[in-house]
Amino acid sequence: MRLNIAVLPGDGIGPEISARGVEVMRAVCEKFGHEARYAYALCGADAIDRVGDPFPEETYRICREADAVLFSAVGDPRFDNDPTAKVRPEQGLLAMRKRLGLFANIRPVQTFKCLLHKSPLRAELVDGADFLCIRELTGGMYFGEKYQDNDTAYDTNRYTRPEIERILKVGFAYAMRRKRHLTVVDKANVLASSRLWRQIAREMAPAYPEVTTDYMYVDNAAMRMIQEPRFFDVLVTENTFGDILTDEGSCISGSMGLLPSASTGEGTPVFEPIHGSWPQAKGLNIANPLAQILSVAMLFEHFGLGEEGALIREAVDASLDAKVRTPEIQVEGGARYGTKEVGDWITAYIAAK
Ligand code: IPM
Ligand code: MG
């Protein structure tokens, strides 16, 4: 297969983990005879510094023309601490999602047996937890009408029927491919937007008789996720709830640096780790590259290249078993491996297979 990949390293630890992702991708392409081309593009604070725009037109063009985007992270404390900043790195990410029409964000939450003890939850509780959060990504409060003056501010949580239908469809489709259990998460006891979600979900459910569909308020879902994470199979929810719940979900596995995601929809799909840019770790070679590397696995799988994805997952598992791990998940007294060394080990494993 020929693949044109737009690579957006972004800020903070972004460039370091991006390099590991690309290396792994090269190794897999070599092994399976695929031809991939990489076009690098600016985004985030880096793009603001260089061209004054967190998602420049040129980046949009490169993304639009690519088959997939390998994205790393954006964000910089210089902007977080400045309430007067007119542009922010995060706007680049939101612009990318919106302009590429990426309405479905798929965030798998998985556990790794050998890392169960790293979870803030008891190992016996998280063992075997394996669910998919499907987050609506281009609607709701993130993009609804906003207003702010000195005394009043609001964000509008607007959703239309087509927006809700298309994301629920994605939810049902994933549930059909998995354990056929879909949980629709909302706040229908309070919010009109949620009541519409629930109404539409109830209308659609009979078309998927094999799927057990249940409805859960978001506050309850937040609790259930840490009380009984194995309850969930596929969870679908709106943009803001999904943002919050997926950070919560990511803790279950023991490190934020482990979980990848895919954003899909109308335009070029984007594959990215769920963690942020961790500016304090920039250049220190300590960030975990696994979420980025697993994003590459999701990229291959998206194009139906299951064996390629499986080999990456096997290599990641092998690196964990061999205790080739970044500091935050290393065993006590274990050898020190940095971002680069973990990436190199995985690349070598793939090449040697
Ligand atoms: C995420 C992030 C983004 C979001 C930020 C960086 C704008 O938290 O992808 O979850 O809120 O969507
Ligand atoms: Mg988030």
Side-chain angles (χ1 to χ4, degrees), residues 90 93-94 97 107 135 137 142 243 246-247 272 274:
E90 289 78 5
L93 182 56
L94 300 183
R97 291 169 178 171
R107 297 186 166 184
R135 167 185 173 193
L137 205 56
Y142 274 64
D243 177 45
T246 53
D247 262 31
E272 58 175 310
I274 73 136

Side-chain angles (χ1 to χ4, degrees), residues 272-319:
E272 58 175 310
I274 73 136
H275 60 69
S277 61
W278 199 15
Q280 302 79 2
K282 180 182 174 152
L284 298 182
N285 194 36
I286 56 171
N288 195 332
L290 295 186
Q292 178 83 79
I293 289 171
L294 289 167
S295 302
V296 176
M298 285 187 90
L299 189 159
F300 281 114
E301 286 156 1
H302 176 86
F303 291 101
L305 303 173
E307 261 185 74
E308 287 79 342
L311 178 55
I312 296 176
R313 291 176 193 282
E314 180 191 319
V316 165
D317 286 341
S319 73

Side-chain angles (χ1 to χ4, degrees), residues 155-329:
D155 302 278
T156 317
N157 200 28
R158 184 171 191 275
Y159 270 107
T160 62
R161 174 173 282 270
E163 285 176 315
I164 299 170
E165 279 177 353
R166 67 183 180 179
I167 190 70
L168 287 173
K169 229 186 236 172
V170 174
F172 281 112
Y174 271 99
M176 286 295 289
R177 282 196 253 151
R178 293 176 47 108
K179 290 186 236 146
R180 305 191 170 176
H181 176 198
L182 181 68
T183 305
V184 181
V185 174
D186 62 32
K187 188 70 187 170
N189 50 348
V190 177
L191 302 178
S193 50
S194 280
R195 284 194 282 275
L196 183 60
W197 269 74
R198 197 173 277 217
Q199 179 196 323
I200 293 174
R202 285 199 200 282
E203 287 169 19
M204 290 171 71
Y208 303 88
E210 304 93 333
V211 176
T212 305
T213 307
D214 43 41
Y215 303 87
M216 201 181 278
Y217 297 142
V218 62
D219 44 353
N220 187 24
M223 188 174 72
R224 197 77 182 257
M225 199 177 276
I226 51 170
Q227 258 181 352
E228 196 193 353
R230 281 186 295 251
F231 171 83
F232 296 101
D233 176 27
V234 180
L235 180 162
V236 62
T237 192
E238 62 148 87
N239 204 345
T240 307
F241 298 160
D243 177 45
I244 299 166
L245 288 177
T246 53
D247 262 31
E248 187 188 355
S250 75
C251 286
I252 292 174
S253 62
S255 164
M256 263 199 123
L258 295 170
L259 300 181
S261 79
S263 300
T264 62
E266 293 155 3
T268 314
V270 174
F271 300 87
E272 58 175 310
I274 73 136
H275 60 69
S277 61
W278 199 15
Q280 302 79 2
K282 180 182 174 152
L284 298 182
N285 194 36
I286 56 171
N288 195 332
L290 295 186
Q292 178 83 79
I293 289 171
L294 289 167
S295 302
V296 176
M298 285 187 90
L299 189 159
F300 281 114
E301 286 156 1
H302 176 86
F303 291 101
L305 303 173
E307 261 185 74
E308 287 79 342
L311 178 55
I312 296 176
R313 291 176 193 282
E314 180 191 319
V316 165
D317 286 341
S319 73
L320 291 171
D321 287 340
K323 304 201 169 41
V324 178
R325 307 177 186 180
T326 43
E328 93 286 5
I329 52 168

Side-chain angles (χ1 to χ4, degrees), residues 97-148:
R97 291 169 178 171
K98 193 69 174 177
R99 295 191 71 183
L100 295 174
L102 305 174
F103 61 85
N105 181 217
I106 317 296
R107 297 186 166 184
V109 174
Q110 268 163 355
T111 50
F112 296 84
K113 266 245 181 304
C114 62
L115 295 180
L116 289 178
H117 65 287
K118 287 281 175 188
S119 175
L121 301 180
R122 286 200 310 278
E124 71 265 25
L125 210 72
V126 293
D127 189 9
D130 174 5
F131 59 93
L132 215 58
C133 291
I134 299 180
R135 167 185 173 193
E136 200 290 328
L137 205 56
T138 52
M141 271 198 280
Y142 274 64
F143 296 97
E145 191 198 324
K146 291 174 190 292
Y147 176 79
Q148 183 178 1

